[in-house]
Amino acid sequence: MAAATQTHPDPPPGASPAFIPLEANPELMTSLLHRLGLSSALQVHDVYSISEPELLAFIPRPALALLLVFPVSAVYESQRMAEDAPLPAYAGKGPGEPVVWFRQTIRNACGLMGLLHAVSNGPAREYIESGSDLDKLIKEAVPLAPAERSKLLEQTSSLASAHHEAASQGDTAAPDAQDDIDLHYVCFVKTGDGTLWELDGRRKGPLARGKLDENEDVLSEKALLWGPLKFLEREGGDMRFSCVALAGSLD
């Protein structure tokens, strides 16, 4: 992953728990989710292009979640702070919450946060095996306020163990947990009422980006315009973007 900049998204070293950054590797992400308790009926897929239909056609549909990895630039930070400034701090909790959102307090855990958002919301949640570590975590998290949820994540040893194993096995040498990494993950999911949500533990809360039709998923033209393409347009020529999608297994 890239070197540090003044826009590093996480708390400074030593200020919070820290994880080894997770590589955007579908095989490792799938292994991590299956170990935590996601059904083998789902897996993470590389998204080779968000503008070429013939490449999108390789991904089973509907896609249940989309994770975008992007560089945290000064341009992005300026836009993020401007959009967040007028918003109240999110206080959602309980079964009536439109989405399950986790505030990120673990340094370099944005990949894990993206995966948790992907499986905790929308149809993917139905694929979590009863009694699994993931099932127990989400059931414990739902009644809690955001600050308490963050503490729960920090204190869940099964989550830390599974993440450490996956993050240590990437195609490139794993960075240190305290390293400065200027790439960040954001997750997009579609909930039952058709809302496309942008879920990022660094924001003030979940962000509703618009309504999708019944036959549209997170890789539909409208969802891509509201999601990844918006990020790409803002950053211009920076090519350090990648996407993975959670969808049906090819096995």
Side-chain angles (χ1 to χ4, degrees):
M1 287 188 175
T5 73
Q6 69 277 14
T7 56
H8 179 265
D10 290 349
S16 66
F19 282 1
I20 299 171
L22 185 66
E23 191 176 282
N25 178 317
E27 184 177 348
L28 290 181
M29 289 178 161
T30 298
S31 176
L32 170 57
L33 290 174
H34 288 172
R35 174 175 170 176
L36 288 171
L38 185 70
S39 166
S40 59
L42 296 183
Q43 70 180 68
V44 179
H45 302 261
D46 263 319
V47 179
Y48 295 109
S49 172
I50 56 174
S51 59
E52 299 175 65
E54 62 271 21
L55 294 178
L56 284 172
F58 285 105
I59 300 169
R61 308 294 281 271
L64 307 186
L66 178 66
L67 271 68
L68 169 69
V69 187
F70 66 97
V72 178
S73 67
V75 172
Y76 168 75
E77 285 294 86
S78 176
Q79 182 275 333
R80 177 185 68 84
M81 289 187 287
E83 186 176 26
D84 279 358
L87 300 177
Y90 185 69
K93 63 178 182 178
E97 189 180 17
V99 283
V100 178
W101 177 78
F102 296 95
R103 177 177 294 128
Q104 183 184 345
T105 57
I106 302 172
R107 180 175 171 84
N108 286 331
C110 58
L112 176 64
M113 301 297 292
L115 292 174
L116 287 177
H117 283 137
V119 299
S120 300
N121 296 289
R125 190 163 166 181
E126 300 172 13
Y127 289 83
I128 296 173
E129 295 172 351
S130 179
S132 65
D133 289 333
L134 199 51
D135 182 47
K136 294 174 185 174
L137 175 67
I138 294 172
K139 285 178 178 175
E140 284 186 57
V142 166
L144 302 178
E148 296 169 313
R149 279 185 191 170
S150 296
K151 289 296 182 185
L152 175 65
L153 296 186
E154 291 177 10
Q155 296 167 3
T156 301
S157 58
S158 59
L159 194 65
S161 175
H163 182 276
H164 183 272
E165 180 179 334
S168 301
Q169 296 176 3
D171 291 335
T172 58
D176 185 85
Q178 296 292 352
D179 281 356
D180 283 335
I181 307 297
D182 70 345
L183 295 179
H184 189 59
Y185 286 78
V186 61
C187 178
F188 297 92
V189 297
K190 177 189 177 183
T191 48
D193 65 350
T195 303
L196 179 72
W197 291 91
E198 181 179 324
L199 302 172
D200 180 348
R202 294 186 64 227
R203 306 299 296 259
K204 276 192 173 179
L207 299 164
R209 292 308 189 191
K211 290 276 189 176
L212 298 175
D213 293 335
E214 186 176 350
N215 64 341
E216 293 178 310
D217 65 5
V218 294
L219 290 178
S220 65
E221 183 178 357
K222 196 187 299 180
L224 292 173
L225 282 171
W226 292 340
L229 288 171
K230 177 183 64 178
F231 283 74
L232 280 166
E233 180 181 6
R234 181 170 53 232
E235 296 302 329
D238 196 320
M239 301 302 292
R240 292 177 300 154
F241 286 82
S242 60
C243 291
V244 296
L246 182 67
S249 175
L250 295 174
D251 298 334

